[in-house]
Amino acid sequence: MKKRQLGTSNIEISDLTLGCMSLGTNAEQGKKMIDYALDKGINHLDTADLYNFGENEKIVGEAIKHRRSDVVVTTKVGNHFQEGKDNWFWDPSKKYIHEAVRNSLQRLNTDYIDVYMLHGGTLDDPVGETIEAFEELKKDGLIRTYGISSIRPNVVREYAIRSSIDVLMTQFSLLDRRPEEAILPIAEENQISVVARGPLAKGLLSNKADEVLDKKGKGGYLDYSYNELKSLYYELEQALPDSSLQQLAMYYVANHPAVTSTVFGASSLQQLEQNIAVHQSINEITDAAYPILQQLTKAAQYEQHR
């Protein structure tokens, strides 16, 4: 795996990130999957306090406790909940962030978090207060750097201007090219690393795309109708027959200059092995594929999907 600098920080992460949300609640299986990923060169694990209401952080913490220095851990904050209860509400206040980070540290069984992200955000939030909280945690050594997970250009722009964030997590795929319109340029202009999630568009760009489409995609996806997706699969196969749909999807996201790492999830060791193998194979795809992929897919705009 290639390692790349995260923003202007001294943190380097692998160009492939394991999204831990899909690990499930079996701690033993989760540990096996995390161990496999780390052994294959992935050093960046992404979790959040809200995933399984704290249980996901506990699984990650247990899996990495004997190799903590080898791992860059990202977790997120802003969804106020109590362990054991399934309800939550949005709370980006300084008070809650200071409370939540200590709970995450305990669940992760560590004394620092590498990357702490705001898990969403709106312009109605007390943005200055939120930024102040993250800066205080950084000064206290509880976090190494911070960022935001968002698909909202106006929110991303606000944090890019007013804070020292090093990382932005956002949804980006061949079927969801909205970030190219505003978010990715903002990140590039401000030396903010992008960690791109959803590269396979909920499975619609996986190697089981036809099956997923027939099960879940009858209503289409963003700007694409069911029939348009069917046609796109055929066009991609005809234009780039030497690469699978999943290879092309991961290649497209990974090769955008703003993207530092691509996040993928896996719910089984077999799926994890397959995803890593596909990622490793995208180096075989030539640069000529990129403009073809841009030509065949739509540059979706945000105002259509707010």
Side-chain angles (χ1 to χ4, degrees), residues 26-268:
N26 185 314
E28 184 178 348
Q29 177 177 301
K31 184 179 185 305
K32 286 180 181 178
M33 293 174 67
I34 290 173
D35 280 341
Y36 181 85
L38 296 177
D39 290 342
K40 288 294 182 179
I42 292 174
N43 78 332
H44 187 212
L45 305 179
D46 174 70
T47 182
D49 56 2
L50 190 64
Y51 298 164
N52 298 119
F53 295 94
E55 288 303 310
N56 196 262
E57 285 184 325
K58 290 179 181 178
I59 289 173
V60 172
E62 181 64 23
I64 67 171
K65 66 181 181 182
H66 297 304
R67 53 197 306 182
R68 178 67 183 92
S69 62
D70 299 331
V71 186
V72 175
V73 176
T74 288
T75 193
K76 309 182 195 75
V77 65
N79 299 296
H80 195 144
F81 69 96
Q82 293 181 336
E83 287 192 55
K85 297 184 178 180
D86 289 349
N87 58 314
W88 57 272
F89 60 93
W90 180 240
D91 186 357
S93 67
K94 181 194 289 192
K95 180 182 177 182
Y96 181 64
I97 291 171
H98 275 278
E99 173 189 330
V101 73
R102 285 160 174 80
N103 291 332
S104 286
L105 286 166
Q106 184 176 26
R107 289 189 290 262
L108 288 165
N109 194 27
T110 185
D111 56 5
Y112 69 94
I113 291 166
D114 298 286
V115 184
Y116 205 34
M117 282 192 190
L118 186 66
H119 203 171
T122 73
L123 293 181
D124 294 327
D125 294 343
V127 175
E129 179 183 323
T130 301
I131 293 170
E132 193 173 311
F134 282 112
E135 290 289 351
E136 288 171 354
L137 296 179
K138 188 175 177 180
K139 183 178 179 181
D140 292 341
L142 296 179
I143 66 173
R144 295 176 67 191
T145 192
Y146 66 99
I148 185 170
S149 176
S150 178
I151 60 170
R152 299 177 177 181
N154 290 339
V155 173
V156 172
R157 185 176 293 108
E158 192 76 4
Y159 278 86
I161 293 170
R162 297 177 59 179
S163 76
S164 61
I165 60 171
D166 281 309
V167 58
L168 161 69
M169 181 175 288
T170 196
Q171 181 173 299
F172 179 39
S173 74
L174 260 178
L175 298 183
D176 186 359
R177 292 176 51 197
R178 290 176 297 172
E180 295 174 347
E181 178 192 354
I183 283 185
L184 299 185
I186 292 170
E188 285 188 282
E189 289 166 12
N190 291 276
Q191 292 184 279
I192 299 168
S193 291
V194 174
V195 177
R197 62 177 177 84
L200 301 184
K202 298 182 178 180
L204 291 170
L205 294 171
S206 71
N207 287 335
K208 294 184 178 180
D210 286 316
E211 181 181 328
V212 173
L213 181 61
D214 287 335
K215 283 185 177 180
K216 302 177 182 179
K218 294 293 186 181
Y221 184 80
L222 294 179
D223 287 325
Y224 293 88
S225 68
Y226 172 86
N227 288 332
E228 284 177 322
L229 287 169
K230 280 283 192 184
S231 295
L232 176 62
Y233 296 162
Y234 175 78
E235 289 169 359
L236 289 171
E237 185 178 6
Q238 294 300 303
L240 298 161
D242 295 330
S243 302
S244 71
L245 181 61
Q246 186 162 328
Q247 283 177 309
L248 295 172
M250 295 188 77
Y251 160 83
Y252 187 80
V253 172
N255 278 271
H256 191 285
V259 173
T260 296
S261 186
T262 306
V263 185
F264 74 98
S267 56
S268 68

